[in-house]
Each structure stands twice: as structure tokens, then as C-alpha cells.
Amino acid sequence: MKVSWAGKRGLVAAWTVALAVSALAAVPAGAKGTDGLGAHGSGYGDAALRHDLAAVRAAGDGQVNVVARVDTSAGPLRARYGTAGRGSDQPVPWDPEFRIASTTKAFTAVVVLQLVAEKRLSLDDTVEHWLPGVVAGHGNDGSRITVRDLLQQTSGLFDYVADPDVQDRLFQHFDENRYDNTPPAQLAAIAMGHPPLFVPGPAGSTRKWAYSNTNYLLAGMIAEKADGTGATWRDLVEHRVIAPLGLRHTSIPGSNPFLVGPHERVTLDTPDGGVLDATELSFEHTADSGVVSTPADLNTFFRALATGKLLPAEQWRQMRQTVPYDDLPVPPAGTQGGYGLGLRVVPLTCGGVYYLHEGDGFGVYSRPAVSADGRRAVTVSITSTTALIDQDKVNRAVQTLTDHALCGRRTP
């Protein structure tokens, strides 16, 4: 799930949270010695990572706990700031479990592309072909939208998370709805109650881009049908991705609201001076948002993706074919990236590109990335303690950290 910042602004305004910058007391990093960052030398080590992560926390006005992990063939670099939760004197875990929200979309896209490689479906198949009558009404037309459009966010479908009733439940009545596990078909039906932002043109025409969680609800439903074994989307990700890669701390809890491994508490101030603990919830349970993972496992997943362990060469090529996006800041390289099939492709200041898919949940933010050759991966996990973050500020700080970590040096 990628929660609308417009909705967050409304919540923050209603709560009138006073944001005070806290002192950044560094927790010593675990891995020491060589940074192992390959061709760009040894210019990025423990101290540089701690410095960049402190900047991420400062961008969150000090009201966040943050963890970063960089993985290379020479071993990991790690840094962390904050505690395991508000009022806790225990440091944030080195490798915390957290809901990765929209980073889930990369997992879902891999499953769909594996099915494409097995010729169980085609990226040019229409949504109407696989889900007759599901995308219809209010100007929505499933016969005009392909599987590729779903994965690339070029369908024009309304984002169900932006529905006013959904926004009200999330931001004004969270506690009463934290265990919501509405089935994906019903969530997609909410989106069909709205006209599309646009209707895709004919095959071969230039595609418009607009981020919509609805796309991945439908992609998960299509994957289940195309697989043909009765397996759920959850089963497919577990058997095709999680188990083969040995991601022991990655799971899809479904309607189970609890995190079982070491994790951080997610807390937010309320208008009446109270504190909302938003750690346990169920509404992130579908193919757009339902995976729980850790920084180490996310680095393993993205490195496996970049090195061809998850997809045949043709499907990996297709996954990296992009259209322009406009929802993230321009990265340090000065040129905006593109959105592929469940994957962003972003330029680096040192040349080349990296791959990522961010996740923005309710007070929890996932920022994993991998170099094009798969040799270097970095994940930043951010957890709110008093207020929802200004995503633009935090994204800029994370982009800087990511560029430094994957280039193996800090920008002069």
C-alpha cells in the first residue's frame, strides 16, 4: 500500500502535532572494517553510513526510528538510531521485521512475470480476459487495460486507498478499523465506484502513468487464475520467491495483525494528547502491500532479482522497460528515473542505474535498492514515533544515502 500524502497532511493538520528535532545519539554500527563496495573504492564505510542515516532521521524531524543495512560480497554495513519503541530504553533491532507496504509490488510483479515465462499468461492479455466484469462501470473498461498496464501503473484506474471512505477509516477511525481484512475483490470494487483518471490508448500508443494500488490487487487476482492450481497470491509468493531464496524472516501474515520477530513499535500522537500505537494491523494484507520482511531479507531479494536468480533474461528485461513517473523527488544524479513492471529504475551520480520499489505504510516506510549488477544493496527502514513524516524531505535524504552507498563514496 502506498498511502496518500494528501491524506496524511489532513491528519497532521487535524492533530496539530508539534514537531521538535531531537538530538541524534548514534548507536555504534555492528559491522566494521572494509566497506566492500567494489569498483568505487573504500570511500563509504561505517561512519559515512551513520552520517547519512542521521540525515534521514533529521529529515523526519527526529520523530522516527531508522535502520540501514548495506550488503556487499565483503559483508554488511549497518547503522541505527532510536529505540525499539516510544518509552523503551532498548535500541532499535539491527534487523527489524516491518510491513514493507508497496515494496510488496516487486514480489507480486516477479510472480506474474514468472507465469509469463511459463506461458500461462501474456503481458498483453486484457484484464477483462482474466477477470470478466470486474473492471467495469463509471467509465472503467477492463478490455482496454492489459496486464502490463497493471504492473506498470499505466491503467488509469482510481486508487482505492484514495476513496474518501477508506481515507476516513484509515486516518480518522484507525483504531476501529485496524483489523480490517476486506478481500481484494471488494477493495477493487471500491475503485470501480470512481471514474478512471484516464483510459489507456490502443496497443503501441504512449502510456500515461499514475500510481494506483488497485492495479496490484487485480494483478494478484490474475496471478491466482493464471496459475490454475487453486493457490492464493500468498501461496504463490511464498513458494516462488520466499522459500527458494531462503528468506527466513519474510512472511505474508494475511489477516494476522502481529509481528513475530524483533520489531519496532509504531506510535503517533493524537489530537487529545494521547498516543496511538499502530503496530498491530491487518489492512495491509493484499498483493499491493501484504509482505512483512527485514532489511537483510530485502537486500537478498533485490540482489537475487538483479542477478537473474528470479526471472529469465527476457522477463527481467521487460521488468526494466520504463515509463516516466512524477511522484518522487529528482535524485542526486539530476535526472528522474522511470517505472518498469513493479520496479523503479533510477540513475546514479557515479554512472549507471539502480533498482528499487519503496513502501509507504501507516507510519512505516521501506526503502530498498540494489545496484544494476546486484553487487551492492541497501535498505532503509523508517518508523514513526510521534507523527507521519514529510515524505518529500525524507525521500530526498534517503536518495542521497542510497546514492552514496551504491556508488561506494560520498558525493564531494
Side-chain angles (χ1 to χ4, degrees):
M1 178 181 296
K2 186 169 186 176
V3 179
S4 165
W5 173 240
K8 294 182 181 182
R9 282 200 302 266
L11 178 66
V12 173
W15 286 356
T16 60
V17 178
L19 299 178
V21 178
S22 64
L24 300 180
V27 179
K32 296 184 180 298
T34 178
D35 57 52
L37 290 173
H40 297 288
S42 57
Y44 197 79
D46 295 323
L49 180 60
R50 288 196 297 270
H51 179 276
D52 284 346
L53 190 62
V56 172
R57 195 178 190 216
D61 290 310
Q63 310 302 312
V64 291
N65 294 324
V66 289
V67 177
R69 179 182 174 110
V70 180
D71 276 296
T72 75
S73 58
L77 298 171
R78 302 184 297 177
R80 59 183 179 178
Y81 291 97
T83 67
R86 189 161 169 161
S88 171
D89 59 0
Q90 296 299 309
V92 58
W94 278 120
D95 198 35
E97 286 188 1
F98 61 100
R99 292 180 176 84
I100 69 173
S102 282
T103 302
T104 297
K105 292 177 173 65
F107 287 74
T108 300
V110 165
V111 167
V112 172
L113 287 166
Q114 288 178 351
L115 293 168
V116 169
E118 295 162 13
K119 301 189 182 306
R120 302 196 190 194
L121 78 160
S122 167
L123 289 173
D124 296 321
D125 289 344
T126 66
V127 174
E128 180 66 18
H129 171 79
W130 287 103
L131 304 173
V134 171
V135 176
H138 295 90
N140 295 290
D141 185 354
S143 69
R144 301 281 296 275
I145 298 169
T146 66
V147 174
R148 188 191 310 273
D149 286 322
L150 298 180
L151 297 185
Q152 196 153 49
Q153 307 282 11
T154 54
S155 73
L157 293 173
F158 183 85
D159 187 349
Y160 77 93
V161 177
D163 177 81
D165 288 340
V166 174
Q167 289 279 302
D168 183 67
R169 292 199 300 272
L170 281 175
F171 295 115
Q172 306 302 331
H173 301 282
F174 173 85
D175 223 14
E176 303 99 299
N177 294 283
R178 67 164 69 231
Y179 303 121
D180 183 283
N181 61 353
T182 302
Q186 292 183 32
L187 295 174
I190 292 173
M192 296 309 110
H194 298 267
L197 303 180
F198 54 83
V199 176
S205 62
T206 300
R207 279 344 205 199
K208 296 180 182 179
W209 186 89
Y211 195 100
S212 175
N213 291 287
T214 306
N215 290 324
Y216 276 77
L217 297 179
L218 298 170
M221 294 163 64
I222 289 172
E224 291 173 351
K225 281 204 167 185
D227 176 71
T229 66
T232 65
W233 159 81
R234 175 181 178 177
D235 296 331
L236 294 174
V237 175
E238 288 174 343
H239 296 315
R240 288 173 171 269
V241 180
I242 295 174
L245 294 183
L247 304 180
R248 295 189 302 158
H249 302 288
T250 300
S251 63
I252 304 175
S255 60
N256 184 341
F258 302 105
L259 299 176
V260 299
H263 60 275
E264 307 157 64
R265 307 301 298 181
V266 184
T267 53
L268 297 163
D269 291 337
T270 59
D272 59 5
V275 177
L276 172 68
D277 188 319
T279 310
E280 278 81 44
L281 57 85
S282 299
F283 54 73
E284 293 179 41
H285 63 279
T286 46
D288 61 323
S289 61
V291 173
V292 168
S293 193
T294 65
D297 274 8
L298 286 177
N299 284 354
T300 298
F301 167 75
F302 278 96
R303 292 180 80 183
L305 182 60
T307 54
K309 294 179 181 177
L310 287 171
L311 292 173
E314 175 56 20
Q315 281 66 49
W316 176 226
R317 183 193 68 80
Q318 292 174 327
M319 193 175 193
R320 292 174 289 153
Q321 297 300 299
T322 66
V323 295
Y325 62 76
D326 59 5
D327 63 333
L328 289 180
V330 175
T335 303
Q336 190 59 282
Y339 196 97
L341 306 183
L343 194 72
R344 295 186 195 261
V345 181
V346 182
L348 286 164
T349 59
C350 54
V353 298
Y354 67 93
Y355 311 122
L356 81 150
H357 202 298
E358 77 295 340
D360 300 324
F362 199 86
V364 182
Y365 311 91
S366 169
R367 297 292 185 270
V370 65
S371 60
D373 60 7
R375 294 175 62 188
R376 303 174 295 281
V378 56
T379 292
V380 180
S381 169
I382 304 161
T383 303
S384 297
T385 58
T386 64
L388 295 170
I389 66 171
D390 181 330
Q391 287 185 12
D392 187 71
K393 286 174 59 178
V394 171
N395 280 334
R396 291 179 188 279
V398 173
Q399 285 177 332
T400 297
L401 183 154
T402 300
D403 192 272
H404 291 169
L406 297 184
C407 284
R409 56 162 173 75
R410 294 189 62 209
T411 303

